[in-house]
Amino acid sequence: MTSTAASPRPALLAARPGPWWRDAVTYQVYIRSFADGDGDGMGDIAGIRSRLGYLAELGVDAVWINPWYPSPQADAGYDVADYRDIEPAFGTLADAEALIEQAHGLGLRVLLDIVPNHTSDEHPWFVEALASGPGSPARGRYLFRPGKGPDGALPPNDWKAVFGGPAWRRVTEPDGRPGEWYLHLFDPKQPDLNWDDPAVRAEFLDILRFWFDRGADGFRIDVAHGLVKDPTLPDLGLDEEHLLGQPDRDDHPHWDLPGVHEIYREWRALADTYDPPKLYVAEAWVSSPERLAAYLRPDELHTAFDFDFVRAGWDAAELRATATASLAAHDKVGAPVMWVLSNHDIARHVSRLGRPHAERSADPLHGHNGVTDVELGRRRARAALLLELALPGGVYLYQGEELGLEEVEDLPDELLQDPTWFRSGGAERGRDGCRVPLPWASSGPSLGFGSAQGWLPQPASWSGLSVEAQDGEPASMLSLYREALRLRRDLPSLGAGTGADVRWLDLGDDVLAFGREPGFGCVVNTGSTPVPLPAGTVLLSSGPLDLTPAAAGSGGRPELPADTAVWVARG
Ligand code: NOJ
C-alpha cells in the first residue's frame, strides 16, 4: 500500500512564490490518442474537452496539446498545412477556442505546439514554391539548392534525414524537367523553412500572435535547435541522424547554431507584450546542460525540456550527477529545470526502466523486443515520479504515465504509422508503441477511448490499467500521481526554488537523497536491497513500507525497500 502516514505539518505549508510556470506540472495531451469524442477512432478536441475535469482532478497546472492544425498527418501533425486552423478530424477553430476557455475555467493553462523548422509539403507556401521555379521568392522561403554532379543529379550535400534516408529530395520543375533539391531534416513531406528569410520570421510571429490572442498561454517549440543552418551547407560525413541524439560537435552545421538565439529573443519580446506574459518551452536536443541553458537566458525562452533523466540509467550516482549538472546550468541563467521522463517520441519509461541498463541507454527512443520486466519498471517509475516532483523546477507528464502504461512493442506491422518505420525500410519500428490510445474504461471496443476501435489497438491487459480500474484504488499508479501532486501543491519545499536549495545527502552508493527546507527530505533507493529509512515522518512512499518494529533492519531502523522512494518530513 502507498503510505501517507501523516499530513504535512503546518510549517511546511505556504503560498507558492514566482511566475506560475517555474514549478508547474504540465500534462502532455497527445491529441490523436487521448480521447475520441466522435467515434472515428482518432482522438479529438471533443474528447479532450470531455476529460478536462479528469486533468483538473489529477492536479496538474497546465496541458500541452500536440499539433492540432490541418495536416496530411505524414508525421502525426508535425507536418502542418495551415497554422491558423484546426485539423477537421480533430474539430474546428471554435472547438479549440471553447477548449481553451473551458480549461481556463478549471484553472488549467493551455500550451500549444508550434512547428517552425518545417511545414507540410502541402502548405500553400511549398505548393507555391514548387510552381514558381528556381530563384523565385517563394523558393526563398525554403532551402532549395541545385544538385551536384553531372545534371545536378546528386544531392547538394551528405546530410541525412532524422527518419532515415537522405535529407534532400529532388523536385520536378514547372517545365517538367528534373530540377532543384529541397532540404528536409525529417520526412520528405516536411520541407525545412529558410529562417534567413524575413518573411518566414514575420509569419511565425504572426502565427504566435494569432493563438495568443485566442487565449493560448504559451507554446512548446518543436525542434527549437534546428531552425538555422550553416549557409555553406558543408558535408557532415555522418551516416545517420537520431531524433534523440545530441549533436556530436559544437560546430554542427544544422543543430544548435548561434543564430537560433536571435529568433527566440524576438519571440520572447512578443510574449512579454501580453499580460500575463506568455510562455515558451523548447524542445532542443543539444550537447550539454550549458548549451540548453543558453536558450534560457533572461531575454530568450523561459523553459526547455530537460531530457537528461531520459538518458540516465536507474542508478543513484548517475541520477544525482544528471540532476546536479542540470540544476547548476539552469541556475546560472536563472531558469527552472523542466524534468521529463516520457513523451510521444520516447519509449515509455515503465518499459525503459524495466530493461537492463545497457540496452536501454543504447536506444532510448524506440521500443525493444528484448527482455523487459514491466513490473520492475512500474516500481521504478513510481519512485522516479517522487524524485522529479521533489526537485526544484517544473515537470512534464506524458499522458498515460499516470496509469503506468508500458510501451506496446507488438503492434502489427501493417498498423504502424510512424514515418521512421517507412523511411528506415522497416529497420526501425518507430514511436507508435508510446502513442497507443488511452484506456479510460475496463471494457468496450477501445477501453473507453471512444465508441469505436482506436487507430492503434490496446493490449488486453490495459483493461486493468484503465482509469476506471485504478480510480479509488489506494495502491494504484493513478492514486500515487494524485496524491503526489496534491502534496506537491501544498509543500513549498517542492517545485519552487533553485539548485542552491537542494542539500544532497550521502546515504550510500545506491541511495539518492536530498533535503530541502523547511524540513523536507526525498530518498530514493535505486539498489536491489533495502536501506535504512532516514528519521522523520513519512509523507508519501512510492511503494509498500513496513514501519512496524518487527520489520526493522539490522540497525533497528525501518527499511526502504529496493526501487522505492519516500518523501519525509524531518523531526
Ligand atoms: C519533434 C517531435 O516531437 C516529433 O514528434 C516530430 O516527429 C519531430 N519533432 C519533427 O517535427
Side-chain angles (χ1 to χ4, degrees):
M1 194 194 77
T2 301
S3 164
T4 49
S7 303
R9 294 159 312 145
L12 293 173
L13 299 172
R16 309 184 80 80
W20 69 270
W21 45 266
R22 289 193 67 91
D23 60 351
V25 177
T26 303
Y27 185 99
Q28 179 187 350
V29 173
Y30 190 69
I31 184 167
R32 294 162 61 94
S33 305
F34 184 68
D36 171 15
D38 64 5
D40 67 354
M42 184 61 67
D44 49 33
I45 295 180
I48 303 176
R49 293 192 64 194
S50 72
R51 301 292 184 181
L52 279 179
Y54 164 84
L55 295 179
E57 201 194 325
L58 182 61
V60 298
D61 304 291
V63 293
W64 150 37
I65 303 172
N66 286 101
W68 58 3
Y69 317 105
S71 158
Q73 302 285 319
D75 182 22
Y78 284 96
D79 47 321
V80 181
D82 179 354
Y83 291 83
R84 295 183 184 79
D85 205 346
I86 294 292
E87 162 63 32
F90 297 151
T92 64
L93 194 51
D95 293 336
E97 288 174 346
L99 180 149
I100 293 170
E101 197 181 327
Q102 185 186 344
H104 288 168
L106 290 165
L108 295 169
R109 263 98 175 184
V110 179
L111 307 183
L112 304 181
D113 205 324
I114 187 96
V115 188
N117 182 66
H118 43 263
T119 67
S120 163
D121 66 342
E122 297 180 32
H123 188 285
W125 271 11
F126 194 73
V127 174
E128 188 189 343
L130 288 186
S132 304
S136 61
R139 288 231 169 149
R141 298 185 193 122
Y142 293 90
L143 289 154
F144 281 85
R145 292 288 183 282
K148 280 189 179 161
D151 305 326
L154 297 172
N157 69 18
D158 68 353
W159 294 1
K160 298 283 182 284
V162 170
F163 296 146
W168 296 92
R169 173 159 283 194
R170 195 168 196 188
V171 302
T172 303
E173 298 299 353
D175 64 7
R177 282 187 297 184
E180 291 189 316
W181 298 70
Y182 68 88
L183 180 71
H184 61 85
L185 287 182
F186 293 88
D187 193 80
K189 285 187 70 61
Q190 294 167 298
D192 279 54
L193 286 161
N194 172 20
W195 275 84
D196 285 336
D197 185 335
V200 172
R201 294 185 184 228
E203 173 71 354
F204 274 85
L205 286 170
D206 198 60
I207 294 165
L208 294 170
R209 226 177 271 120
F210 177 91
W211 289 103
F212 287 156
D213 291 348
R214 278 162 183 75
D217 298 289
F219 273 97
R220 177 260 189 195
I221 305 169
D222 188 60
V223 203
H225 57 310
L227 275 47
V228 174
K229 280 89 184 172
D230 179 336
T232 66
L233 302 175
D235 277 343
L236 259 170
L238 281 182
D239 61 355
E240 56 182 3
E241 285 292 343
H242 286 295
L243 183 59
L244 301 197
Q246 298 161 310
D248 58 344
R249 52 196 240 201
D250 282 347
D251 62 342
H252 197 284
H254 64 70
W255 296 137
D256 197 20
L257 270 80
V260 293
H261 297 285
E262 188 195 314
I263 297 168
Y264 300 130
R265 280 192 280 272
E266 279 182 10
W267 287 27
R268 177 61 178 262
L270 172 66
D272 286 347
T273 62
Y274 288 83
D275 183 19
K278 305 295 183 177
L279 169 75
Y280 300 114
V281 55
E283 182 219 26
W285 295 92
V286 294
S287 59
S288 67
E290 290 71 27
R291 297 286 292 230
L292 189 65
Y295 288 71
L296 309 178
R297 290 171 286 197
D299 60 346
E300 294 192 39
L301 304 175
H302 312 76
T303 57
F305 300 126
D306 189 300
F307 292 122
D308 288 345
F309 273 167
V310 171
R311 297 186 266 232
W314 185 244
D315 172 86
E318 204 177 330
L319 290 167
R320 174 172 165 175
T322 296
T324 314
S326 292
L327 286 164
H330 283 68
D331 280 358
K332 280 200 189 119
V333 291
V337 181
M338 296 290 124
W339 307 101
V340 176
L341 290 170
S342 279
N343 70 26
H344 64 292
D345 294 326
I346 304 169
R348 283 189 176 274
H349 64 274
V350 159
S351 296
R352 294 201 324 269
L353 293 172
R355 290 179 189 140
H357 183 190
E359 187 186 357
R360 193 175 57 241
S361 56
D363 188 1
L365 173 57
H366 302 301
H368 279 266
N369 297 316
V371 182
T372 304
D373 181 342
V374 171
E375 284 318 314
L376 175 66
R378 282 204 181 98
R379 251 193 337 272
R380 291 177 172 172
R382 296 173 68 100
L385 175 74
L386 296 205
L387 168 62
E388 66 172 352
L389 287 179
L391 287 166
V395 171
Y396 277 79
L397 306 177
Y398 177 47
Q399 68 178 37
E401 67 168 80
E402 80 279 19
L403 305 177
L405 301 185
E406 75 276 20
E407 183 78 2
V408 182
E409 296 181 344
D410 58 357
L411 290 167
D413 291 0
E414 63 277 12
L415 296 184
L416 296 178
Q417 295 198 8
D418 185 347
T420 311
W421 168 249
F422 302 108
R423 300 293 300 160
S424 71
E428 295 187 35
R429 296 184 66 74
R431 302 160 291 177
D432 290 317
C434 64
R435 300 173 173 184
V436 172
L438 290 194
W440 293 93
S442 307
S443 59
S446 53
L447 300 176
F449 169 65
S451 57
Q453 293 261 327
W455 66 281
L456 289 172
Q458 300 137 318
S461 59
W462 282 15
S463 162
L465 294 178
S466 65
V467 174
E468 184 184 13
Q470 297 197 37
D471 192 24
E473 287 297 326
S476 70
M477 187 71 96
L478 181 57
S479 295
L480 179 72
Y481 270 72
R482 285 178 173 156
E483 183 62 5
L485 290 171
R486 187 190 66 74
L487 269 174
R488 188 177 185 274
R489 275 191 182 213
D490 291 343
L491 298 171
S493 337
L494 303 193
T498 69
D501 304 317
V502 176
R503 199 163 39 83
W504 295 98
L505 307 166
D506 281 316
L507 301 182
D509 286 351
D510 291 331
V511 185
L512 180 73
F514 55 91
R516 304 190 57 189
E517 297 308 326
F520 173 86
C522 175
V523 185
V524 188
N525 180 4
T526 63
S528 52
T529 54
V531 297
L533 193 66
T537 307
V538 174
L539 301 171
L540 186 63
S541 166
S542 69
L545 276 189
D546 190 344
L547 302 176
T548 58
S554 51
R557 295 209 37 75
E559 296 199 306
L560 179 64
D563 299 311
T564 306
V566 279
W567 288 353
V568 293
R570 290 195 311 273

